[in-house]
Amino acid sequence: MAEVAAAHEVPEAVRSGNLRAVLLGAPGSGKGTQAEFLAAALGVPAISTGAMLRDAVALGSALGSKVAGIMGSGALVDDGLMAEVIRDRLDRPDASRGFLLDGYPRTTGQAATLDEILEECRGKLDAVVLLEVPEAVLVQRAVARRRDDDREEVIRERLRVYREKTEPLVDHYERRSLLTRVDGEQAVADVAAAILRALGRRA
Ligand code: AP5
């Protein structure tokens, strides 16, 4: 993280730790990698709903047993259950002054839930960054990683679900003038620098 901050100036406007931003992109586009990489530089927590659900499955919690099969098939967990998960997480003190969301929202219903949560605390979303990566590269990255849901047929299903349910959010946030597109095929540090520049322009 120090390398990122040193190599690429973190714009003053986003250094205050008040940023509320969403990383949007297909499975394997680098959302989790970038959220972890940038959260400390931005002074906000990286919140990954996928990681939270995987933790729940690993712990064998009630939530984990509800979502394990869904995740294994490449489908999405239903919006009602995800609303509880994200509401609980954003209620924690570390998220009160900002966050970098990875994997939420991924349906128009989830986007509406996020707006409701932010309205309740008189906050607003500052930026949405779309990581753009060609489909062939997404599949290569996921197959190379070998997570439980990284079998090729499950990856193809996750990509299909992304196109159907999540891609409409690109238009949704573009219409609200919140969206910036970033080339996610570059090296990790270059993607991080491009995201920081995009956030700096929007803060
Ligand atoms: P989730 O964990 O969110 O999976 P995903 O969106 O499919 O995303 P990935 O983790 O596969 O990719 P990523 O974009 O984070 O890329 P990463 O940084 O890991 O969700 C998993 C499941 O949980 C869903 O299928 C669903 O069932 C459920 N779920 C989660 N949230 C939900 C929600 N809101 N609603 C309903 N259901 C939900 O990188 C991928 C690989 O590429 C890594 O190996 C990485 O090292 C590599 N890489 C990253 N960047 C680069 C780069 N620039 N160059 C080269 N390699 C790179």
Side-chain angles (χ1 to χ4, degrees), residues 8 29 51-52 57 67 76 78-80 84 88 93 114 118 138 140 142 149 154 169 189 191 193-194 201:
H8 312 286
S29 58
M52 289 165 68
V57 172
V67 302
L76 292 184
D78 75 83
D79 284 358
E84 289 174 32
D88 280 357
L114 180 59
L118 289 174
L138 297 171
Q140 269 169 18
D149 57 350
V154 180
L169 292 180
V191 178
R201 283 195 298 271

Side-chain angles (χ1 to χ4, degrees), residues 9-187:
E9 282 289 302
V10 179
E12 176 62 38
V14 295
R15 211 180 293 158
S16 59
N18 286 325
L19 185 86
R20 295 184 176 92
V22 167
L23 291 179
L24 198 61
S29 58
K31 304 180 296 295
T33 303
Q34 293 299 328
E36 285 295 323
F37 210 57
L38 290 173
L42 295 169
V44 296
I47 298 178
S48 160
T49 47
M52 289 165 68
L53 297 176
R54 278 187 291 281
D55 286 349
V57 172
L59 281 170
S61 68
L63 172 65
S65 59
K66 280 186 202 163
V67 302
I70 300 169
M71 294 175 77
S73 73
L76 292 184
V77 175
D78 75 83
D79 284 358
L81 191 50
M82 288 313 301
E84 289 174 32
V85 170
I86 200 71
R87 195 173 273 284
D88 280 357
R89 181 62 188 88
L90 293 181
D91 268 351
R92 289 203 220 147
D94 68 336
S96 65
R97 292 180 61 242
F99 48 74
L100 196 48
L101 281 181
D102 149 28
Y104 195 97
R106 48 208 302 161
T107 65
T108 50
Q110 293 184 10
T113 298
L114 180 59
D115 286 342
E116 274 167 33
I117 295 171
L118 289 174
E119 273 165 30
E120 285 163 20
C121 66
R122 298 204 181 104
K124 65 171 181 53
L125 198 56
D126 298 302
V128 177
V129 174
L130 174 67
L131 297 179
E132 296 186 300
V133 177
E135 184 153 329
V137 177
L138 297 171
V139 175
Q140 269 169 18
R141 284 186 187 176
V143 169
R145 182 176 56 181
R146 299 170 145 226
R147 203 168 71 192
D148 280 354
D149 57 350
D150 283 338
R151 297 185 309 283
E152 186 156 350
E153 71 278 13
V154 180
I155 297 161
R156 299 265 177 216
E157 175 61 7
R158 282 161 51 210
L159 285 168
R160 191 195 66 73
V161 170
Y162 172 78
R163 305 278 178 237
E164 183 188 326
K165 307 256 169 112
T166 309
E167 222 164 44
L169 292 180
V170 173
D171 265 3
H172 172 86
Y173 286 123
E174 216 153 32
R175 272 187 266 113
R176 289 172 58 182
S177 303
L178 284 170
L179 191 97
T180 303
R181 295 165 187 268
V182 164
D183 173 5
E185 211 185 343
Q186 311 168 76

